[in-house]
Amino acid sequence: MNEVIKQKLEDIFRLVFELPSDAKVGDIQQIDFDKWDSLSHVSLMSAIENEFGLEVDIAESISLTSFESIELYLSRKVV
Amino acid sequence: MKFLEAHAAIKEFSGGPPLKFLLACSAVTDTLDVFVKAHAASKGLDAQVDTLPFDTLGQFLRAEPPSDEREVFVLFPWNLVRETDWRTGLPAQSSSGESVHQAMAESLRLLSLRRSAGFVYIAAPIPPLLGTEARCSELSDQLLAAARGLGATVLSPANFSLSSYFQTGNAFASHALSDIAEAVVIAAIGQQLAPKKVLVTDFDNTLWAGVVGEDGVDNLAYSAEGAGFPFFVYQSLLRKLKNEGTLLVGVSRNDRDLALAPFDLDEMLLKESDFVTILASYHSKSAQIAQVAEMLNLNLDSFVFVDDNPVELEEVRRALPEVECMQFSADGTMLPSILMSLTQRFGKGAHTEEDAKRTDMYRLRAASIVPSEVSGADLRTFLQSLQMKLTIKERSFGDHTRCLQLINKTNQFNINGDRLAEQELQTILSAGGRLIGATLEETGGSHGEVVACLISVDGTIEAFVMSCRVFQRRLEYAFTAWLASQSDAPTQFRYGPTARNEPVRLFLEQIVGTPAGGLIRFDAKNLATSLAPDLQLFDVAAELGDT
């Protein structure tokens, strides 16, 4: 994946979940991360749509539940 | 402004006077928060915003208004007529026009009681509430007129997301959050109440289709036909605003005679005499605008700057935050809202004889403006957000049509202005020379092949050109840094000053000091180090070898 895009995704995760600027985020999954609830998921999707100029449809959004899955999604969607 | 940039702006903000207000909206506003804070910070203000719980705007309006709190209402059609809310579904039968108008009248009555409020209206589409398409369209128009009657800043339907509104109650389109937040902050400050005075416009691809320095004055389009139509309409609006008292200023990155050449043909709707002044140089647009403001003795917050180039807009935004910046687009879906936004900022209900003469009065004051050499804003963080991808291509073999075209067409960023015939090129390449091209892509799309560099076997850069469409991106510095990092780096530039290549002189002045014509040493080690930060702005790929 383009390193610039990955770095941006990492920064977005840290900002949305209010984590330190050097926090490791690559292993974060919604299932075992308390801060990732339905409200923060909305904020996360909005931030990703805004930053990368995308529109994530509802079906796609439901499956984007980890850093890894979002990274994979962006590698397909972002030129 | 995007999400990460908004957070960066807040982080860099060292504090300022508070901007306290209640953001009154029936939709969820959480995603707007960071952009509101960032836009307020860009104006030196610390936004302190209260909000309403979801879908309580109706109750709020019926309560006693707070006596001393500034309010900003972000309204949708359903805040004027409840039945137009998508989330309530359609009624069992078509609504009667009378009930709809009664509802609208009551909503307007309540809103007009909020005397210290600012309003932003998002003209979202409405469900087919009434019996026919024509009646629904008429209702949309009436809602829009009602919002304008409140003095609302109107934002286009593109700012609304139905899918998001359904899913989460957040009605704002993600890509529009910055624009909506900016409108909210302006409404909170109250600037929307004061009309603007000076419209500063770019020329290439804003006043006319085309780039006069590359396409030539005879290949521009600005007439009421074909590709020129949007520009003809834009010029007609500027002429109207000028006749009603708006001062027009032209700013162009060009040699002055090139910038004025289209006016000399006397075929355009706008004439040079319609402008208070036209500034054309290779210095930053922010510096030129600041000079105009000083010379005309007008505050920068009365200026609006219009340009098609997001890099130029960002430079002015950063250097002169008081100036409102607006991106021009000839796209048919965007042009109407751009022209309406300009009318909102400059339009007057009535104008006087003095308004019509205002330009002539100010032309005298502006006559002595000399282009400023003050440097512009640091654009690095913005340029990083463009995600620029530079692809270096070996053109010594195979198709080099575009490279040769660039060398023979480019005037401004051209190291010596020398033209090259195919045979001459083949002679240099056969002797061991190299021809290198480079393409540029960024988030807005691809610019295609924009750089050509011909190096002879002894390491002399015989030709180095760059399209003026990609100025301001530090691309010439990055490409030079890439050349310097190669094992077979060039050894010297062949520089020749021409009547048109001032951008090259400025570039060489920055990297090697004041250049004299002739051979200039290419210090690869030094350049690789000093220009490394510019190379880091780009994701670089090299497609070298036989093509």
Side-chain angles (χ1 to χ4, degrees):
Chain A
M1 182 190 202
N2 180 304
E3 276 307 307
V4 170
I5 294 173
K6 185 175 177 182
Q7 180 65 60
K8 286 190 175 194
L9 183 59
E10 289 172 354
D11 290 341
I12 288 172
F13 262 69
R14 291 177 189 122
L15 288 166
V16 167
F17 296 119
E18 297 179 341
L19 299 171
S21 58
D22 59 353
K24 298 270 184 273
V25 296
D27 294 330
I28 291 179
Q29 301 182 80
Q30 186 177 28
I31 195 166
D32 54 16
F33 189 60
D34 289 344
K35 290 189 175 192
W36 194 335
D37 55 21
S38 56
L39 279 179
S40 55
H41 186 75
V42 169
S43 300
L44 182 63
M45 291 298 109
S46 175
I48 287 168
E49 287 181 329
N50 178 274
E51 187 66 33
F52 296 108
L54 303 172
E55 201 165 326
V56 182
D57 73 32
I58 297 169
E60 288 171 325
S61 170
I62 291 169
S63 66
L64 298 176
T65 54
S66 66
F67 182 94
E68 196 179 325
S69 62
I70 296 173
E71 189 183 359
L72 187 61
Y73 173 80
L74 290 177
S75 68
R76 290 197 310 266
K77 291 281 188 174
V78 180
V79 172
Chain B
M1 185 188 298
K2 293 191 177 182
F3 178 79
L4 290 176
E5 192 187 340
H7 273 279
I10 293 167
K11 193 174 171 188
E12 284 170 18
F13 180 52
S14 56
L19 178 67
K20 294 181 73 168
F21 64 97
L22 171 71
L23 176 56
C25 180
S26 58
V28 171
T29 58
D30 294 351
T31 55
L32 207 52
D33 289 348
V34 67
F35 293 94
V36 168
K37 284 192 174 309
H39 276 288
S42 76
K43 296 181 188 311
L45 299 168
D46 177 18
Q48 296 169 10
V49 187
D50 292 324
T51 57
L52 298 178
F54 175 62
D55 204 22
T56 59
L57 182 63
Q59 298 94 298
F60 174 74
L61 273 177
R62 283 165 177 78
E64 185 67 27
S67 58
D68 58 354
E69 188 173 29
R70 177 85 174 149
E71 299 170 317
V72 175
F73 286 81
V74 178
L75 301 172
F76 294 88
W78 40 93
N79 301 130
L80 300 180
V81 175
R82 179 81 181 168
E83 288 165 293
T84 62
D85 191 342
W86 289 93
R87 288 170 67 104
T88 60
L90 288 157
Q93 289 178 313
S94 292
S95 301
S96 78
E98 191 181 336
S99 68
V100 162
H101 288 110
Q102 279 175 355
M104 194 186 324
E106 176 60 9
S107 298
L108 289 173
R109 185 188 70 78
L110 291 170
L111 286 165
S112 64
L113 294 175
R114 317 303 270 219
R115 296 198 184 282
S116 64
F119 297 96
V120 176
Y121 178 74
I122 297 179
I126 59 174
L129 193 64
L130 302 177
T132 65
E133 186 184 354
R135 291 185 66 206
C136 291
S137 177
E138 190 185 348
L139 176 57
S140 279
D141 291 343
Q142 288 166 347
L143 290 165
L144 183 57
R148 290 219 169 93
L150 287 170
T153 297
V154 174
L155 300 179
S156 74
N159 291 272
F160 169 70
S161 169
L162 182 60
S163 59
S164 175
Y165 188 47
F166 279 151
Q167 192 183 2
T168 64
N170 176 357
F172 307 122
S174 294
H175 66 82
L177 290 170
S178 177
D179 290 343
I180 298 168
E182 187 174 26
V184 165
V185 169
I186 289 172
I189 294 170
Q191 283 178 355
Q192 65 175 356
L193 301 175
K196 301 291 186 178
K197 293 179 183 164
V198 185
L199 195 160
V200 182
T201 181
D202 173 45
F203 284 174
D204 288 330
N205 287 319
T206 302
L207 208 63
W208 52 69
V211 177
V212 65
E214 283 196 356
D215 302 320
V217 69
D218 294 322
N219 295 312
L220 306 178
Y222 41 69
S223 303
E225 58 180 354
F229 238 126
F231 304 91
F232 165 78
V233 173
Y234 175 64
Q235 287 199 23
S236 68
L237 174 66
L238 264 54
R239 181 182 62 173
K240 175 176 173 297
L241 292 176
K242 174 254 171 181
N243 289 340
E244 293 171 358
T246 296
L247 301 176
L248 301 182
V249 171
V251 175
S252 179
R253 273 189 183 272
N254 254 313
D255 300 308
R256 186 172 174 77
D257 58 334
L258 267 181
L260 293 178
F263 294 96
D264 294 338
L265 293 182
D266 201 24
E267 292 169 354
M268 289 199 303
L269 203 57
L270 278 177
K271 312 299 174 192
E272 191 192 343
S273 58
D274 289 319
F275 289 80
V276 168
T277 188
I278 291 174
L279 298 171
S281 77
Y282 294 103
H283 298 293
S284 70
K285 287 189 179 175
S286 63
Q288 312 309 333
I289 294 171
Q291 263 207 305
V292 168
E294 192 181 341
M295 187 61 68
L296 301 183
N297 196 25
L298 291 169
N299 291 330
L300 284 167
D301 61 8
S302 67
F303 282 56
V304 175
F305 171 52
V306 182
D307 199 313
D308 70 297
N309 188 331
V311 180
E312 298 283 14
L313 288 165
E314 188 62 20
E315 190 272 315
V316 172
R317 238 179 232 127
R318 287 175 184 236
L320 305 172
E322 311 95 311
V323 174
E324 186 174 344
C325 294
M326 195 178 292
Q327 184 163 6
F328 180 82
S329 171
D331 185 303
T333 59
M334 297 174 67
L335 186 65
S337 64
I338 292 167
L339 300 183
M340 186 54 68
S341 294
L342 287 172
T343 302
Q344 277 179 332
R345 280 145 182 82
F346 291 100
K348 293 180 183 175
H351 53 276
T352 65
E353 203 175 302
E354 189 186 294
D355 288 331
K357 292 178 183 169
R358 186 160 290 126
T359 292
D360 291 335
M361 284 159 43
Y362 276 90
R363 272 173 73 88
L364 286 173
R365 282 194 216 177
S368 54
I369 291 179
V370 173
S372 166
E373 295 198 14
V374 173
S375 59
D378 181 359
L379 288 172
R380 281 187 193 276
T381 46
F382 174 70
L383 291 177
Q384 279 164 350
S385 75
L386 293 180
Q387 298 172 43
M388 296 184 287
K389 182 177 176 184
L390 179 66
T391 305
I392 315 279
K393 297 182 187 245
E394 182 72 55
R395 293 301 192 203
S396 306
F397 318 99
D399 185 14
H400 52 241
T401 311
R402 174 61 181 159
C403 272
L404 194 56
Q405 184 187 55
L406 274 172
I407 290 171
N408 288 325
K409 242 185 76 164
T410 304
N411 295 313
Q412 291 159 310
F413 195 91
N414 184 324
I415 196 97
N416 48 40
D418 291 345
R419 301 311 187 198
L420 195 65
E422 174 69 37
Q423 190 51 52
E424 288 172 86
L425 173 62
Q426 290 300 341
T427 303
I428 294 172
L429 294 178
S430 303
R434 279 182 83 187
L435 179 62
I436 302 169
T439 62
L440 179 68
E441 292 168 59
E442 60 189 38
T443 49
S446 174
H447 294 281
E449 194 142 349
V450 291
V451 172
C453 181
L454 177 64
I455 308 166
S456 59
V457 65
D458 69 357
T460 302
I461 297 176
E462 302 286 355
F464 180 16
V465 301
M466 184 179 77
S467 171
C468 61
R469 295 173 198 271
V470 293
F471 279 178
Q472 283 274 62
R473 286 166 170 79
R474 307 292 295 178
L475 175 52
E476 62 275 41
Y477 298 91
F479 183 81
T480 302
W482 180 85
L483 282 177
S485 68
Q486 301 305 296
S487 56
D488 55 350
T491 56
Q492 55 195 2
F493 295 97
R494 185 183 301 283
Y495 167 59
T498 71
R500 292 271 180 252
N501 68 356
E502 175 68 3
V504 166
R505 190 195 66 76
L506 293 169
F507 161 71
L508 289 174
E509 192 175 67
Q510 290 221 339
I511 66 169
V512 298
T514 308
L519 295 172
I520 298 173
R521 183 169 165 247
F522 187 102
D523 183 343
K525 188 174 169 191
N526 209 2
L527 289 172
T529 306
S530 63
L531 301 182
D534 293 301
L535 191 57
Q536 283 162 13
L537 291 171
F538 298 81
D539 179 12
V540 181
E543 295 173 7
L544 306 175
D546 289 3
T547 54

